[in-house]
Amino acid sequence: MIQLGEWLPDQADILNSGVTVATNVMPAAAGYHSMNAFVPYSNAANSIIKGIFAAKDVASNTKLFAGDATNLYLHSASTNNLDSIGKVGGYTLDDMERWKFVQFGDYVLAAGGVQEAIQSFELGSSSVFSDLSAAAPKADFLAVVRDFVWTANVNTGSGRLPYRCQWSGFNDITSWTPGIDQSDFQDLPDSGAITGLVGGEYATVLTERAIYRATFTGPPLIWQFDKVVAERGCNFKNSVCNAGNLVFYLSSDGFHAFDGQRSMPIGSEKVNEFFLSDFDSNYDYRMSSYVDPINEVAMWAYTSTQSPSGQPDKIIIYNYVLGKWSLAEVETDLLAPMFSAGYTVDDLDNLGATVDSLSIQLDSRFFKGGQYFFGGAYGNKLYTFTGAPLTATIETGESPISTGKHSIVTRIYPYYEDGEVTLSVGTRNDTVSGVSYTSSVAPNVSGFAPFRAQGRYHRAKIVLSNGWSKVVGIEVETRQIGRR
């Protein structure tokens, strides 16, 4: 059996040990799993959604927040609407700004960039967002580090400071006076603008030319800043996402992961060359990234060079446990994790007029309430990856079946589960000619697809559809026919 290996588009097609195409699939230990469609979840906001956040209060009640350029919203399961909860007067985020949310105790905080005051919403008490504190900086980045709220790339009222980190007082989200309650700031002036901030037990600060780790030491120093990575930084601020302390980011030379001690290349000789040639960096501000811990993948939505309007149209996917990649052809404006609010039978009317019209599968964990699921936004609506499995395409590497001789592929047995599959064979007689594919063939009642595909070099294309779940590999039968 030819097992379907990892996606390696940066390697030559000839003698590629993995696969050259892995589209609309999720990497698996053996082969690939299906990827669910990106389907609508909510009714519309005023404009393109620029931030999503799921929160739980102490009683485990879930709240799903969202924001666009002018307003903040709370999703209602009873109506499926995005109800306006922004402050009076609204907001004015520009095209390159996004909402950043964090939860600190019972408070949800939102930063909308260097022109907007940080917003605060108390779970179980507030009905609308309000300005957090006049002393708090306006900021591009927001995180919770230990018992502090951190900001980065800030505007303190005297102008933008793209190299500054500033944090709140100890366990006090309203205390922002430097020198009071351990609140203070730190400038990082020699590494370019700050492009990412990740919280946790320590702060990870990504800049254009370096990565810093800030460790709590207590008074008088408060935080110790160490430049852990000096040879590269993060060049795309919307590329930063994390699984715990493992931080993923995109540099000018490709994808990397930072574990708090060192930065490791994760796309080298695998996908970096493909991505950097496919990525339209004119729309880098439209990139979004997030980690789906259920599927153990980091995902980056981006605008490809094939997009006619700048709309992000592809998602590159990295399984950080297996170290494998794949690609999805999905249009999205934002990636984000969510919690479902839970649905009664009556509430289902908000998602579809009939059961048959529901875009979300009824056996999805989405309907259970309080369950984690992965989604995002497309245009002015929330979307989720809870639809039917996408039609997927996988192409194997190319190889000579008999060195120096022509061969005929006569049968292919696919090893897959559920759904339907069709196969085709690509052939050529030398490595400089184009590849010619046979017509697609479905397996017969005996379990194989019949072919008479003649050539010196062969590859296989597999298309899976109609509710497929897993694919592992193929078995190929051939016949040698000589050196002509």
Side-chain angles (χ1 to χ4, degrees):
M1 184 186 76
I2 300 173
Q3 185 167 316
L4 298 176
E6 63 178 309
W7 181 45
L8 299 172
D10 288 1
Q11 301 297 311
D13 289 355
I14 188 74
L15 301 179
N16 191 313
S17 61
V19 300
T20 59
V21 174
T23 302
N24 294 340
V25 297
M26 299 288 275
Y32 294 87
H33 293 165
S34 60
M35 181 175 181
N36 292 336
F38 199 48
V39 295
Y41 172 36
S42 75
N43 294 328
N46 292 336
S47 59
I48 293 175
I49 291 174
K50 300 171 76 68
I52 300 170
F53 186 71
K56 283 188 179 182
D57 62 20
V58 292
S60 294
N61 298 310
T62 61
K63 301 287 185 182
L64 184 57
F65 299 90
D68 59 19
T70 61
N71 209 352
L72 289 166
Y73 304 91
L74 179 63
H75 176 258
S76 169
S78 62
T79 65
N80 210 32
N81 289 334
L82 294 173
D83 296 330
S84 173
I85 57 169
K87 72 177 183 180
V88 175
Y91 315 96
T92 53
L93 277 67
D94 65 31
D95 287 344
M96 297 189 180
E97 291 178 319
R98 297 266 179 86
W99 287 105
K100 304 290 186 182
F101 294 89
V102 297
Q103 183 172 351
F104 191 94
D106 275 340
Y107 289 88
V108 172
L109 306 180
V114 294
Q115 303 303 319
E116 300 293 342
I118 294 176
Q119 299 296 288
S120 173
F121 185 97
E122 185 177 6
L123 298 171
S125 176
S126 296
S127 58
V128 296
F129 275 94
S130 60
D131 291 354
L132 172 62
S133 168
K138 301 172 182 179
D140 278 340
F141 301 106
L142 191 64
V144 173
V145 190
R146 291 175 62 100
D147 300 299
F148 301 82
V149 175
W150 272 54
T151 62
N153 201 330
V154 304
N155 182 347
T156 61
S158 57
R160 184 173 181 176
L161 300 169
Y163 47 80
R164 175 170 291 184
C165 298
Q166 185 169 345
W167 54 89
S168 71
F170 177 79
N171 204 29
D172 187 348
I173 62 174
T174 63
S175 176
W176 289 90
T177 303
I180 304 297
D181 297 330
Q182 301 184 49
S183 176
D184 213 335
F185 64 87
Q186 177 69 48
D187 290 338
L188 308 171
D190 65 339
S191 303
I194 293 171
T195 52
L197 175 66
V198 177
E201 186 65 19
Y202 56 85
T204 301
V205 184
L206 299 98
T207 71
E208 293 174 310
R209 298 191 296 275
I211 301 176
Y212 294 82
R213 171 174 169 156
T215 307
F216 182 71
T217 61
L221 186 62
I222 315 298
W223 296 91
Q224 175 180 314
F225 283 76
D226 297 302
K227 185 187 287 188
V228 182
V229 177
E231 69 274 13
R232 74 169 47 83
C234 172
N235 299 96
F236 303 94
K237 70 176 186 178
N238 292 326
S239 72
V240 179
C241 58
N242 67 293
N245 291 330
L246 190 60
V247 179
F248 306 101
Y249 67 96
L250 177 62
S251 187
S252 59
D253 61 350
F255 292 98
H256 297 264
F258 175 70
D259 64 1
Q261 302 293 332
R262 61 192 182 97
S263 183
M264 302 157 287
I266 57 175
S268 180
E269 294 296 315
K270 293 185 177 184
V271 302
N272 284 348
E273 183 180 342
F274 163 84
F275 177 81
L276 293 173
S277 63
D278 194 47
F279 172 43
D280 188 343
S281 59
N282 292 312
Y283 299 98
D284 60 355
Y285 63 94
R286 301 197 66 176
M287 173 182 278
S288 64
S289 60
Y290 234 105
V291 164
D292 176 1
I294 300 298
N295 289 303
E296 299 175 321
V297 294
M299 303 171 70
W300 291 266
Y302 69 97
T303 301
S304 79
T305 54
Q306 292 84 51
S307 176
S309 63
Q311 170 66 48
D313 58 342
K314 292 184 182 179
I315 302 173
I316 194 166
I317 303 164
Y318 175 65
N319 186 304
Y320 51 85
V321 174
L322 302 174
K324 295 181 178 180
W325 294 84
S326 64
L327 187 72
E329 293 180 344
V330 173
E331 290 192 353
T332 176
D333 286 296
L334 194 68
L335 297 174
M338 304 181 188
F339 289 114
S340 60
Y343 284 81
T344 66
V345 173
D346 291 337
D347 290 335
L348 294 181
D349 290 341
N350 299 316
L351 300 177
T354 65
V355 170
D356 290 338
S357 69
L358 290 173
S359 59
I360 300 170
Q361 295 179 300
L362 276 174
D363 61 353
S364 171
R365 60 190 285 122
F366 168 89
F367 293 110
K368 296 179 181 179
Q371 298 294 309
Y372 173 91
F373 61 98
F374 198 70
Y378 183 35
N380 58 4
K381 294 182 180 181
L382 302 182
Y383 272 60
T384 64
F385 288 98
T386 52
L390 293 168
T391 297
T393 302
I394 300 172
E395 293 186 27
T396 68
E398 181 181 77
S399 63
I401 294 172
S402 301
T403 303
K405 298 181 181 179
H406 285 238
S407 300
I408 295 178
V409 171
T410 57
R411 295 182 177 185
I412 297 182
Y413 294 81
Y415 295 99
Y416 70 104
E417 292 184 2
D418 305 319
E420 299 176 0
V421 65
T422 60
L423 303 106
S424 56
V425 179
T427 61
R428 58 180 176 171
N429 293 327
D430 57 67
T431 58
V432 296
S433 299
V435 178
S436 177
Y437 278 94
T438 67
S439 298
S440 296
V441 179
N444 56 26
V445 293
S446 299
F448 66 85
F451 294 97
R452 287 189 60 82
Q454 178 180 329
R456 180 165 288 157
Y457 304 103
H458 294 80
R459 64 181 76 186
K461 179 188 295 184
I462 307 161
V463 177
L464 301 118
S465 59
N466 293 333
W468 75 282
S469 60
K470 299 175 183 178
V471 62
V472 178
I474 56 176
E475 197 81 55
V476 180
E477 288 189 8
T478 65
R479 180 163 54 87
Q480 182 178 306
I481 60 173
R483 294 185 178 275
R484 59 188 178 132

